[in-house]
Amino acid sequence: MRAADAVVVGSGPNGLAAALTLARAGLAVDVFEGAPAPGGGCRTGELTLPGFRHDVCSAVHPLAAASPFFLNTGLAARGVRLHAPDVAFAHPLDGGRAAAVAGSVDETARGLGADANSYRRLLSPLVRDAGLIVPAILAPLRSVPAHPVAVARYGLAGLPPARLLARRFSTGEAKALFAGVAAHAMRPLGAPVTSGFGLLLTMIAHSVGWPVVEGGSDRIVAALADELTSLGGRVVTGCWVRSLNDLPPARAVLLDISPRGLIRLAGDRLPSRYRNALGRFRYGPGICKVDWALDGPVPWAAEACRRTVTVHLGGALAEVARSESDVAAGRHPEQPYCIVVQAGVVDPTRAPAGRQTLWGYCHVPSGSSVDMTGRIEAQIERFAPGFRDLVLARVTTTAADAERHNPNYVGGDINGGMATLRQTIFRPTARWNPYRTALPGVYLCSASTPPGGGVHGMCGYGAAAAALADLGVTGVTGTGHAAPTVAGRPD
Protein backbone atom coordinates (compact mmCIF):
# COMPACT_ATOMS: atom_id res chain seq x y z
CA MET A 1 0.00 0.00 0.00
CA ARG A 2 1.56 3.31 -1.08
CA ALA A 3 1.39 6.42 1.10
CA ALA A 4 -0.29 9.52 -0.28
CA ASP A 5 1.71 12.63 -1.14
CA ALA A 6 -1.50 14.68 -1.12
CA VAL A 7 -4.96 14.22 0.34
CA VAL A 8 -8.10 15.89 -1.00
CA VAL A 9 -11.30 16.11 1.06
CA GLY A 10 -14.39 16.36 -1.14
CA SER A 11 -14.92 14.97 -4.63
CA GLY A 12 -16.88 17.71 -6.33
CA PRO A 13 -15.51 19.07 -9.62
CA ASN A 14 -13.09 21.33 -7.75
CA GLY A 15 -11.82 18.56 -5.50
CA LEU A 16 -11.29 16.26 -8.47
CA ALA A 17 -9.66 19.07 -10.48
CA ALA A 18 -7.23 19.62 -7.61
CA ALA A 19 -6.54 15.89 -7.33
CA LEU A 20 -5.96 15.54 -11.07
CA THR A 21 -3.63 18.53 -11.22
CA LEU A 22 -1.54 17.03 -8.44
CA ALA A 23 -1.60 13.54 -9.95
CA ARG A 24 -0.55 14.85 -13.36
CA ALA A 25 2.48 16.35 -11.60
CA GLY A 26 3.43 12.88 -10.38
CA LEU A 27 2.05 12.96 -6.83
CA ALA A 28 0.19 10.07 -5.23
CA VAL A 29 -3.26 11.43 -4.38
CA ASP A 30 -6.11 10.12 -2.22
CA VAL A 31 -9.58 11.71 -2.30
CA PHE A 32 -11.99 11.24 0.60
CA GLU A 33 -15.73 11.76 0.02
CA GLY A 34 -18.46 11.46 2.65
CA ALA A 35 -21.31 10.71 0.25
CA PRO A 36 -21.85 7.23 -1.24
CA ALA A 37 -20.79 8.50 -4.70
CA PRO A 38 -18.35 11.16 -5.89
CA GLY A 39 -19.38 14.41 -7.52
CA GLY A 40 -20.87 16.71 -4.87
CA GLY A 41 -23.46 18.76 -6.75
CA CYS A 42 -22.35 17.32 -10.10
CA ARG A 43 -24.33 14.08 -9.84
CA THR A 44 -27.25 12.47 -11.65
CA GLY A 45 -29.85 10.02 -10.39
CA GLU A 46 -33.35 8.62 -10.84
CA LEU A 47 -34.92 11.03 -8.38
CA THR A 48 -38.57 10.67 -9.44
CA LEU A 49 -39.38 7.51 -11.43
CA PRO A 50 -37.32 4.68 -12.92
CA GLY A 51 -35.79 5.67 -16.24
CA PHE A 52 -35.89 9.43 -15.53
CA ARG A 53 -32.35 10.75 -14.93
CA HIS A 54 -32.21 14.06 -13.08
CA ASP A 55 -29.18 16.22 -12.35
CA VAL A 56 -28.92 16.65 -8.59
CA CYS A 57 -27.64 20.24 -8.77
CA SER A 58 -25.51 21.44 -11.69
CA ALA A 59 -27.24 20.78 -14.99
CA VAL A 60 -26.13 23.24 -17.69
CA HIS A 61 -22.42 23.67 -18.31
CA PRO A 62 -21.36 26.84 -20.15
CA LEU A 63 -18.40 27.22 -17.78
CA ALA A 64 -17.25 23.64 -18.34
CA ALA A 65 -17.21 24.34 -22.09
CA ALA A 66 -15.15 27.51 -21.60
CA SER A 67 -12.97 26.71 -18.57
CA PRO A 68 -9.18 26.50 -19.11
CA PHE A 69 -9.08 23.45 -16.82
CA PHE A 70 -11.62 21.51 -18.87
CA LEU A 71 -10.20 22.73 -22.17
CA ASN A 72 -6.97 21.01 -21.06
CA THR A 73 -8.73 17.85 -19.91
CA GLY A 74 -9.57 14.95 -22.20
CA LEU A 75 -13.28 14.75 -21.49
CA ALA A 76 -14.15 13.88 -25.08
CA ALA A 77 -11.67 11.01 -25.08
CA ARG A 78 -13.42 9.62 -22.01
CA GLY A 79 -16.87 9.70 -23.60
CA VAL A 80 -18.21 13.03 -22.35
CA ARG A 81 -20.41 14.65 -24.99
CA LEU A 82 -21.68 18.20 -24.56
CA HIS A 83 -24.85 19.12 -26.48
CA ALA A 84 -25.70 22.80 -26.98
CA PRO A 85 -29.20 23.81 -28.14
CA ASP A 86 -29.83 26.27 -30.96
CA VAL A 87 -31.08 28.79 -28.39
CA ALA A 88 -28.71 29.21 -25.42
CA PHE A 89 -31.41 30.56 -23.11
CA ALA A 90 -34.84 32.17 -23.39
CA HIS A 91 -36.92 34.49 -21.24
CA PRO A 92 -40.70 34.38 -21.81
CA LEU A 93 -43.02 37.30 -21.24
CA ASP A 94 -46.78 37.45 -20.96
CA GLY A 95 -48.79 37.20 -24.16
CA GLY A 96 -46.69 34.42 -25.72
CA ARG A 97 -43.66 36.67 -26.29
CA ALA A 98 -40.06 35.76 -25.48
CA ALA A 99 -36.57 37.13 -25.83
CA ALA A 100 -33.71 34.74 -26.47
CA VAL A 101 -29.96 34.48 -26.94
CA ALA A 102 -29.54 32.42 -30.09
CA GLY A 103 -26.48 31.91 -32.25
CA SER A 104 -24.38 34.96 -33.04
CA VAL A 105 -24.65 38.45 -31.58
CA ASP A 106 -26.21 39.64 -34.85
CA GLU A 107 -28.80 36.87 -34.87
CA THR A 108 -29.80 37.65 -31.29
CA ALA A 109 -29.83 41.39 -31.96
CA ARG A 110 -32.23 40.96 -34.87
CA GLY A 111 -34.76 39.52 -32.43
CA LEU A 112 -34.58 42.53 -30.12
CA GLY A 113 -36.16 45.09 -32.43
CA ALA A 114 -35.31 48.64 -31.43
CA ASP A 115 -32.53 47.38 -29.13
CA ALA A 116 -30.62 45.58 -31.88
CA ASN A 117 -27.84 48.18 -32.13
CA SER A 118 -27.55 48.60 -28.37
CA TYR A 119 -27.11 44.85 -27.98
CA ARG A 120 -24.47 44.74 -30.72
CA ARG A 121 -22.50 47.62 -29.21
CA LEU A 122 -22.49 45.99 -25.78
CA LEU A 123 -21.83 42.36 -26.68
CA SER A 124 -19.85 42.35 -29.93
CA PRO A 125 -16.51 43.50 -28.43
CA LEU A 126 -16.86 41.11 -25.50
CA VAL A 127 -17.72 38.09 -27.64
CA ARG A 128 -14.89 38.94 -30.06
CA ASP A 129 -12.42 38.85 -27.14
CA ALA A 130 -14.07 36.08 -25.14
CA GLY A 131 -11.04 33.82 -25.52
CA LEU A 132 -8.94 36.52 -23.84
CA ILE A 133 -11.45 37.59 -21.19
CA VAL A 134 -12.84 34.31 -19.83
CA PRO A 135 -9.48 32.83 -18.69
CA ALA A 136 -8.75 36.07 -16.84
CA ILE A 137 -12.15 36.06 -15.11
CA LEU A 138 -11.68 32.46 -14.03
CA ALA A 139 -8.26 33.24 -12.53
CA PRO A 140 -7.64 34.88 -9.12
CA LEU A 141 -8.09 38.64 -9.39
CA ARG A 142 -4.55 39.18 -8.08
CA SER A 143 -3.29 37.71 -11.36
CA VAL A 144 -2.19 40.27 -13.94
CA PRO A 145 -4.36 39.80 -17.06
CA ALA A 146 -2.46 38.83 -20.18
CA HIS A 147 -4.80 41.07 -22.18
CA PRO A 148 -5.59 44.04 -19.90
CA VAL A 149 -7.49 46.13 -22.46
CA ALA A 150 -10.01 43.38 -23.23
CA VAL A 151 -10.42 42.53 -19.54
CA ALA A 152 -10.82 46.20 -18.59
CA ARG A 153 -13.58 46.58 -21.18
CA TYR A 154 -15.45 43.71 -19.56
CA GLY A 155 -14.75 45.00 -16.05
CA LEU A 156 -16.03 48.50 -16.74
CA ALA A 157 -19.25 47.13 -18.19
CA GLY A 158 -19.67 44.43 -15.55
CA LEU A 159 -19.03 46.40 -12.37
CA PRO A 160 -22.33 48.38 -12.24
CA PRO A 161 -25.63 46.91 -11.01
CA ALA A 162 -27.66 45.04 -13.61
CA ARG A 163 -30.56 47.48 -13.26
CA LEU A 164 -28.24 50.32 -14.27
CA LEU A 165 -26.76 48.52 -17.28
CA ALA A 166 -30.26 47.50 -18.41
CA ARG A 167 -31.00 51.20 -19.02
CA ARG A 168 -29.04 50.84 -22.25
CA PHE A 169 -32.10 49.04 -23.60
CA SER A 170 -35.51 50.49 -24.38
CA THR A 171 -37.64 47.39 -24.98
CA GLY A 172 -39.16 45.17 -22.33
CA GLU A 173 -37.78 42.11 -24.10
CA ALA A 174 -34.12 43.18 -23.95
CA LYS A 175 -34.41 44.41 -20.36
CA ALA A 176 -36.00 41.14 -19.22
CA LEU A 177 -33.47 39.04 -21.12
CA PHE A 178 -30.58 40.72 -19.34
CA ALA A 179 -32.34 40.67 -15.95
CA GLY A 180 -32.89 36.93 -16.23
CA VAL A 181 -29.26 36.06 -16.91
CA ALA A 182 -27.89 38.59 -14.40
CA ALA A 183 -30.07 37.08 -11.66
CA HIS A 184 -27.79 34.02 -11.69
CA ALA A 185 -25.72 36.17 -9.30
CA MET A 186 -28.34 35.44 -6.58
CA ARG A 187 -28.18 39.11 -5.57
CA PRO A 188 -30.56 42.07 -5.86
CA LEU A 189 -30.25 43.52 -9.34
CA GLY A 190 -29.32 46.85 -7.77
CA ALA A 191 -26.12 45.36 -6.31
CA PRO A 192 -22.69 46.00 -7.85
CA VAL A 193 -21.15 43.29 -10.08
CA THR A 194 -24.51 41.76 -11.04
CA SER A 195 -23.94 43.09 -14.58
CA GLY A 196 -20.70 41.10 -14.67
CA PHE A 197 -22.57 37.83 -14.11
CA GLY A 198 -25.00 38.59 -16.92
CA LEU A 199 -22.30 39.67 -19.37
CA LEU A 200 -20.03 36.70 -18.64
CA LEU A 201 -22.79 34.14 -19.12
CA THR A 202 -24.09 35.85 -22.26
CA MET A 203 -20.59 36.16 -23.71
CA ILE A 204 -20.05 32.42 -23.16
CA ALA A 205 -23.47 31.66 -24.64
CA HIS A 206 -22.40 33.30 -27.90
CA SER A 207 -18.94 31.71 -27.79
CA VAL A 208 -19.56 28.06 -26.88
CA GLY A 209 -23.27 27.82 -26.06
CA TRP A 210 -24.99 26.56 -22.92
CA PRO A 211 -24.61 22.78 -23.23
CA VAL A 212 -25.75 19.84 -21.16
CA VAL A 213 -23.91 16.55 -20.82
CA GLU A 214 -25.36 13.59 -22.67
CA GLY A 215 -26.68 11.18 -20.06
CA GLY A 216 -26.24 13.54 -17.13
CA SER A 217 -23.75 15.76 -15.34
CA ASP A 218 -22.27 12.79 -13.49
CA ARG A 219 -20.49 11.81 -16.72
CA ILE A 220 -18.07 14.70 -16.08
CA VAL A 221 -17.25 13.36 -12.63
CA ALA A 222 -16.86 9.82 -13.96
CA ALA A 223 -14.37 11.04 -16.55
CA LEU A 224 -12.32 12.96 -13.98
CA ALA A 225 -12.32 10.04 -11.55
CA ASP A 226 -11.37 7.65 -14.36
CA GLU A 227 -8.31 9.70 -15.30
CA LEU A 228 -7.33 10.10 -11.66
CA THR A 229 -7.47 6.33 -11.17
CA SER A 230 -5.37 5.81 -14.31
CA LEU A 231 -2.70 8.02 -12.74
CA GLY A 232 -2.65 5.97 -9.54
CA GLY A 233 -5.01 8.17 -7.54
CA ARG A 234 -7.75 6.83 -5.33
CA VAL A 235 -11.28 8.01 -4.50
CA VAL A 236 -12.68 6.70 -1.21
CA THR A 237 -16.44 7.28 -0.80
CA GLY A 238 -18.64 6.93 2.26
CA CYS A 239 -15.87 8.37 4.42
CA TRP A 240 -16.85 11.49 6.36
CA VAL A 241 -13.89 13.47 7.64
CA ARG A 242 -14.77 15.02 11.01
CA SER A 243 -11.35 16.49 11.82
CA LEU A 244 -8.05 17.15 10.12
CA ASN A 245 -6.64 14.71 12.64
CA ASP A 246 -8.63 11.94 10.91
CA LEU A 247 -6.53 12.29 7.75
CA PRO A 248 -3.43 10.22 7.02
CA PRO A 249 -0.07 12.03 6.91
CA ALA A 250 0.49 13.86 3.62
CA ARG A 251 2.67 16.61 2.20
CA ALA A 252 -0.39 18.62 1.19
CA VAL A 253 -4.04 18.63 2.24
CA LEU A 254 -6.62 20.25 -0.07
CA LEU A 255 -10.14 20.84 1.18
CA ASP A 256 -13.14 21.14 -1.13
CA ILE A 257 -15.23 22.49 1.74
CA SER A 258 -16.74 25.78 2.88
CA PRO A 259 -14.96 28.18 5.26
CA ARG A 260 -17.41 27.04 7.94
CA GLY A 261 -16.35 23.48 7.22
CA LEU A 262 -12.69 24.42 7.62
CA ILE A 263 -13.41 25.93 11.04
CA ARG A 264 -15.16 22.72 12.03
CA LEU A 265 -12.39 20.41 10.77
CA ALA A 266 -9.43 22.42 12.04
CA GLY A 267 -10.81 23.48 15.41
CA ASP A 268 -8.25 25.06 17.73
CA ARG A 269 -5.44 24.53 15.21
CA LEU A 270 -6.50 27.69 13.39
CA PRO A 271 -5.02 30.99 14.58
CA SER A 272 -7.81 33.07 16.11
CA ARG A 273 -7.39 35.96 13.66
CA TYR A 274 -7.75 33.69 10.63
CA ARG A 275 -10.61 31.76 12.22
CA ASN A 276 -12.46 35.01 12.90
CA ALA A 277 -11.92 36.12 9.29
CA LEU A 278 -13.39 32.83 8.05
CA GLY A 279 -16.32 33.34 10.41
CA ARG A 280 -17.09 36.67 8.73
CA PHE A 281 -17.43 35.02 5.31
CA ARG A 282 -20.95 35.68 4.02
CA TYR A 283 -23.11 33.02 2.40
CA GLY A 284 -25.76 33.77 -0.18
CA PRO A 285 -29.43 32.84 -0.48
CA GLY A 286 -30.52 29.25 -0.78
CA ILE A 287 -32.54 27.54 -3.45
CA CYS A 288 -35.70 25.46 -3.46
CA LYS A 289 -35.39 22.93 -6.28
CA VAL A 290 -37.99 20.72 -7.92
CA ASP A 291 -37.42 17.77 -10.28
CA TRP A 292 -40.31 16.59 -12.43
CA ALA A 293 -41.00 13.52 -14.51
CA LEU A 294 -43.23 14.65 -17.38
CA ASP A 295 -45.49 12.86 -19.84
CA GLY A 296 -44.17 15.04 -22.67
CA PRO A 297 -42.40 18.31 -23.51
CA VAL A 298 -43.31 21.47 -21.63
CA PRO A 299 -46.00 23.27 -23.71
CA TRP A 300 -44.34 26.69 -23.75
CA ALA A 301 -46.43 29.38 -25.43
CA ALA A 302 -43.31 30.99 -26.94
CA GLU A 303 -41.54 29.02 -29.67
CA ALA A 304 -38.04 30.08 -28.49
CA CYS A 305 -38.64 28.38 -25.14
CA ARG A 306 -39.35 25.10 -26.91
CA ARG A 307 -35.95 25.26 -28.67
CA THR A 308 -33.76 25.82 -25.62
CA VAL A 309 -32.59 23.86 -22.61
CA THR A 310 -32.58 26.84 -20.22
CA VAL A 311 -35.57 29.06 -19.55
CA HIS A 312 -35.50 32.04 -17.16
CA LEU A 313 -38.91 32.68 -15.63
CA GLY A 314 -39.91 35.86 -13.89
CA GLY A 315 -41.57 38.17 -16.37
CA ALA A 316 -40.43 41.75 -16.84
CA LEU A 317 -37.27 43.24 -15.36
CA ALA A 318 -39.20 44.85 -12.51
CA GLU A 319 -40.68 41.48 -11.51
CA VAL A 320 -37.29 39.73 -11.54
CA ALA A 321 -35.79 42.58 -9.52
CA ARG A 322 -38.61 42.44 -6.98
CA SER A 323 -38.18 38.68 -6.55
CA GLU A 324 -34.43 38.98 -5.89
CA SER A 325 -34.94 41.93 -3.52
CA ASP A 326 -37.56 39.95 -1.58
CA VAL A 327 -35.11 37.07 -1.09
CA ALA A 328 -32.33 39.41 0.04
CA ALA A 329 -34.76 40.89 2.60
CA GLY A 330 -35.59 37.43 3.97
CA ARG A 331 -38.95 37.09 2.23
CA HIS A 332 -40.24 34.26 0.01
CA PRO A 333 -41.45 35.85 -3.26
CA GLU A 334 -44.99 35.11 -4.36
CA GLN A 335 -43.88 35.14 -8.01
CA PRO A 336 -40.29 33.92 -7.81
CA TYR A 337 -37.62 34.23 -10.44
CA CYS A 338 -36.93 30.65 -11.56
CA ILE A 339 -34.33 28.85 -13.64
CA VAL A 340 -35.78 25.88 -15.50
CA VAL A 341 -33.82 23.25 -17.44
CA GLN A 342 -35.27 20.80 -19.96
CA ALA A 343 -32.31 18.63 -20.95
CA GLY A 344 -34.46 16.48 -23.23
CA VAL A 345 -34.47 19.21 -25.88
CA VAL A 346 -31.00 18.03 -26.89
CA ASP A 347 -30.56 14.82 -24.87
CA PRO A 348 -33.31 12.23 -25.32
CA THR A 349 -31.43 9.75 -23.11
CA ARG A 350 -32.71 11.44 -19.94
CA ALA A 351 -36.21 9.89 -20.02
CA PRO A 352 -38.22 7.08 -21.63
CA ALA A 353 -39.32 7.72 -25.21
CA GLY A 354 -41.88 10.49 -25.52
CA ARG A 355 -41.36 11.67 -21.95
CA GLN A 356 -39.12 14.30 -20.36
CA THR A 357 -37.37 15.35 -17.20
CA LEU A 358 -37.59 18.92 -15.94
CA TRP A 359 -35.30 20.61 -13.42
CA GLY A 360 -36.01 23.96 -11.82
CA TYR A 361 -35.36 26.13 -8.81
CA CYS A 362 -36.03 29.53 -7.31
CA HIS A 363 -34.02 31.58 -4.84
CA VAL A 364 -35.12 31.62 -1.18
CA PRO A 365 -33.76 33.08 2.05
CA SER A 366 -30.79 31.23 3.53
CA GLY A 367 -31.73 28.08 5.43
CA SER A 368 -35.35 28.14 4.29
CA SER A 369 -37.45 25.04 4.84
CA VAL A 370 -40.39 26.45 2.84
CA ASP A 371 -41.64 24.27 -0.03
CA MET A 372 -41.92 26.59 -3.05
CA THR A 373 -43.22 23.91 -5.43
CA GLY A 374 -46.62 25.54 -5.91
CA ARG A 375 -45.17 28.96 -6.67
CA ILE A 376 -42.58 27.55 -9.08
CA GLU A 377 -45.21 25.53 -10.91
CA ALA A 378 -47.47 28.60 -11.11
CA GLN A 379 -44.67 30.48 -12.90
CA ILE A 380 -44.21 27.61 -15.37
CA GLU A 381 -47.98 27.34 -15.92
CA ARG A 382 -48.08 31.10 -16.53
CA PHE A 383 -45.86 30.74 -19.59
CA ALA A 384 -46.72 27.13 -20.49
CA PRO A 385 -50.47 26.56 -19.99
CA GLY A 386 -51.24 22.89 -19.45
CA PHE A 387 -47.88 22.11 -17.82
CA ARG A 388 -49.39 20.67 -14.64
CA ASP A 389 -51.37 18.12 -16.65
CA LEU A 390 -48.07 16.53 -17.76
CA VAL A 391 -46.60 15.95 -14.29
CA LEU A 392 -46.15 12.25 -13.54
CA ALA A 393 -44.05 12.72 -10.39
CA ARG A 394 -42.09 15.41 -8.59
CA VAL A 395 -39.45 15.65 -5.88
CA THR A 396 -38.78 18.87 -3.98
CA THR A 397 -35.55 19.82 -2.21
CA THR A 398 -35.73 22.82 0.10
CA ALA A 399 -32.71 24.94 0.99
CA ALA A 400 -32.50 23.20 4.36
CA ASP A 401 -32.64 19.82 2.61
CA ALA A 402 -29.81 20.87 0.28
CA GLU A 403 -27.48 21.65 3.18
CA ARG A 404 -28.31 18.33 4.85
CA HIS A 405 -27.40 16.50 1.64
CA ASN A 406 -24.25 18.58 0.99
CA PRO A 407 -22.64 20.52 3.89
CA ASN A 408 -20.91 22.81 1.38
CA TYR A 409 -24.33 24.30 0.54
CA VAL A 410 -24.50 26.44 3.67
CA GLY A 411 -28.11 27.53 4.04
CA GLY A 412 -28.76 26.07 0.59
CA ASP A 413 -26.25 28.40 -1.09
CA ILE A 414 -25.07 26.48 -4.17
CA ASN A 415 -22.56 29.20 -5.17
CA GLY A 416 -20.25 28.77 -2.19
CA GLY A 417 -20.67 32.31 -0.88
CA MET A 418 -22.43 35.60 -1.50
CA ALA A 419 -21.33 37.41 -4.68
CA THR A 420 -20.64 40.78 -3.06
CA LEU A 421 -18.02 43.13 -4.47
CA ARG A 422 -15.74 42.45 -1.50
CA GLN A 423 -16.07 38.67 -1.84
CA THR A 424 -15.43 38.92 -5.55
CA ILE A 425 -12.04 40.47 -4.75
CA PHE A 426 -11.27 38.78 -1.42
CA ARG A 427 -12.58 35.23 -1.33
CA PRO A 428 -12.76 33.72 1.30
CA THR A 429 -10.50 36.13 3.24
CA ALA A 430 -8.13 38.98 2.43
CA ARG A 431 -4.96 36.99 1.66
CA TRP A 432 -2.45 37.33 -1.19
CA ASN A 433 -2.97 33.70 -2.13
CA PRO A 434 -6.64 32.87 -1.48
CA TYR A 435 -6.06 29.10 -1.55
CA ARG A 436 -3.45 28.92 1.21
CA THR A 437 -4.91 28.73 4.71
CA ALA A 438 -3.18 29.78 7.92
CA LEU A 439 -2.09 26.15 8.39
CA PRO A 440 1.07 25.18 6.49
CA GLY A 441 0.37 22.59 3.81
CA VAL A 442 -3.43 23.01 4.06
CA TYR A 443 -5.34 24.62 1.18
CA LEU A 444 -8.95 25.49 0.36
CA CYS A 445 -10.13 24.48 -3.12
CA SER A 446 -13.92 24.90 -2.92
CA ALA A 447 -16.27 27.36 -4.61
CA SER A 448 -15.62 29.66 -1.65
CA THR A 449 -12.27 30.47 -3.32
CA PRO A 450 -11.75 32.26 -6.66
CA PRO A 451 -13.40 32.30 -9.11
CA GLY A 452 -16.45 31.06 -7.19
CA GLY A 453 -19.34 28.79 -8.04
CA GLY A 454 -19.87 26.76 -11.20
CA VAL A 455 -18.53 23.60 -12.78
CA HIS A 456 -15.21 24.92 -14.09
CA GLY A 457 -12.62 23.22 -11.87
CA MET A 458 -10.58 26.40 -11.56
CA CYS A 459 -10.83 26.64 -7.76
CA GLY A 460 -9.29 23.18 -7.56
CA TYR A 461 -6.70 23.96 -10.20
CA GLY A 462 -5.68 27.19 -8.44
CA ALA A 463 -5.30 25.49 -5.06
CA ALA A 464 -3.30 22.63 -6.56
CA ALA A 465 -1.01 25.09 -8.34
CA ALA A 466 -0.35 26.81 -5.00
CA ALA A 467 0.39 23.46 -3.33
CA LEU A 468 2.74 22.39 -6.13
CA ALA A 469 4.61 25.69 -5.90
CA ASP A 470 5.03 25.25 -2.15
CA LEU A 471 6.26 21.70 -2.70
CA GLY A 472 8.78 22.91 -5.27
CA VAL A 473 7.13 21.08 -8.18
CA THR A 474 7.42 23.20 -11.34
CA GLY A 475 6.64 23.00 -15.03
CA VAL A 476 3.04 21.79 -14.75
CA THR A 477 1.05 24.13 -16.98
CA GLY A 478 -1.45 21.92 -18.83
CA THR A 479 -2.17 18.47 -20.17
CA GLY A 480 -2.36 18.84 -23.91
CA HIS A 481 -5.61 16.89 -24.00
CA ALA A 482 -8.21 17.59 -26.64
CA ALA A 483 -11.05 19.91 -25.68
CA PRO A 484 -14.53 18.38 -25.23
CA THR A 485 -16.71 18.41 -28.32
CA VAL A 486 -19.78 20.65 -28.09
CA ALA A 487 -22.42 19.33 -30.44
CA GLY A 488 -25.46 21.13 -31.73
CA ARG A 489 -28.94 19.75 -31.47
CA PRO A 490 -29.08 16.15 -32.81
CA ASP A 491 -31.15 15.48 -35.90
Side-chain angles (χ1 to χ4, degrees):
M1 295 291 291
R2 59 110 172 109
D5 296 309
V7 168
V8 177
V9 177
S11 67
N14 283 314
L16 290 175
L20 264 179
T21 303
L22 298 169
R24 289 167 181 167
L27 275 62
V29 184
D30 286 347
V31 179
F32 293 98
E33 168 60 51
C42 196
R43 293 181 292 120
T44 308
E46 294 183 340
L47 304 182
T48 56
L49 297 173
F52 291 81
R53 287 179 55 79
H54 304 269
D55 289 322
V56 171
C57 184
S58 58
V60 184
H61 298 287
L63 290 173
S67 159
F69 172 77
F70 281 111
L71 290 174
N72 284 318
T73 297
L75 290 181
R78 295 185 182 276
V80 177
R81 297 198 65 202
L82 301 180
H83 293 296
D86 299 334
V87 176
F89 56 86
H91 190 114
L93 295 165
D94 294 321
R97 300 172 296 145
V101 168
S104 68
V105 171
D106 281 342
E107 183 180 351
T108 299
R110 286 195 293 271
L112 295 176
D115 281 318
N117 288 334
S118 296
Y119 189 85
R120 289 189 186 98
R121 283 193 298 269
L122 177 62
L123 269 301
S124 291
L126 300 180
V127 173
R128 181 193 64 219
D129 293 336
L132 311 178
I133 297 171
V134 173
I137 297 172
L138 296 182
L141 289 184
R142 64 183 177 82
S143 304
V144 178
H147 304 278
V149 174
V151 174
R153 183 183 295 113
Y154 163 79
L156 290 172
L159 184 60
R163 290 198 76 153
L164 182 60
L165 188 141
R167 292 179 184 174
R168 297 190 181 202
F169 304 119
S170 61
T171 66
E173 285 81 356
K175 290 176 182 289
L177 185 67
F178 187 69
V181 68
H184 279 258
M186 299 177 71
R187 294 278 287 146
L189 297 189
V193 191
T194 46
S195 289
F197 278 79
L199 291 174
L200 172 63
L201 293 173
T202 305
M203 177 177 27
I204 293 176
H206 285 302
S207 302
V208 297
W210 276 28
V212 295
V213 181
E214 182 179 299
S217 296
D218 63 347
R219 303 293 173 86
I220 293 176
V221 169
L224 298 180
D226 183 57
E227 184 186 348
L228 179 62
T229 302
S230 74
L231 295 172
R234 298 184 295 209
V235 179
V236 181
T237 57
C239 180
W240 287 103
V241 177
R242 309 293 180 186
S243 166
L244 293 181
N245 297 327
D246 295 340
L247 298 173
R251 298 165 64 194
V253 174
L254 287 84
L255 305 172
D256 186 4
I257 61 176
S258 69
R260 185 176 295 180
L262 174 57
I263 293 173
R264 185 169 57 248
L265 261 62
D268 293 339
R269 291 174 57 179
L270 288 177
S272 59
R273 184 175 179 180
Y274 181 69
R275 183 172 60 248
N276 291 338
L278 290 176
R280 290 191 294 270
F281 185 78
R282 298 176 65 191
Y283 299 91
I287 65 165
C288 180
K289 175 175 176 281
V290 187
D291 290 283
W292 296 268
L294 302 180
D295 198 24
V298 180
W300 300 107
E303 190 264 343
C305 296
R306 299 193 293 270
R307 294 173 51 209
T308 188
V309 165
T310 307
V311 183
H312 297 143
L313 301 179
L317 180 149
E319 295 178 74
V320 176
R322 182 168 57 248
S323 174
E324 296 305 281
S325 294
D326 280 348
V327 173
R331 299 186 293 267
H332 294 79
E334 287 300 320
Q335 290 188 305
Y337 160 79
C338 307
I339 302 172
V340 174
V341 173
Q342 44 190 16
V345 170
V346 292
D347 181 14
T349 70
R350 299 296 187 97
R355 295 181 168 180
Q356 288 229 13
T357 61
L358 193 68
W359 171 111
Y361 70 73
C362 71
H363 301 153
V364 293
S366 178
S368 168
S369 59
V370 173
D371 183 340
M372 297 287 284
T373 301
R375 295 183 226 189
I376 295 172
E377 290 190 348
Q379 286 288 64
I380 300 175
E381 187 79 20
R382 171 184 173 186
F383 300 106
F387 160 74
R388 287 194 179 102
D389 296 335
L390 298 174
V391 176
L392 301 172
R394 63 173 66 81
V395 171
T396 300
T397 304
T398 68
D401 293 334
E403 183 174 4
R404 280 192 290 270
H405 296 322
N406 188 336
N408 274 6
Y409 296 158
V410 177
D413 176 8
I414 61 174
N415 277 339
M418 189 177 289
T420 63
L421 178 59
R422 174 181 172 80
Q423 289 190 176
T424 299
I425 301 171
F426 303 114
R427 187 180 182 95
T429 64
R431 295 174 69 84
W432 174 248
N433 188 303
Y435 309 105
R436 294 189 181 105
T437 71
L439 299 176
V442 178
Y443 307 83
L444 269 181
C445 66
S446 69
S448 298
T449 63
V455 178
H456 45 64
M458 293 302 292
C459 306
Y461 177 82
L468 291 172
D470 292 346
L471 293 172
V473 180
T474 60
V476 181
T477 58
T479 66
H481 288 304
T485 299
V486 181
R489 181 174 177 174
D491 293 335

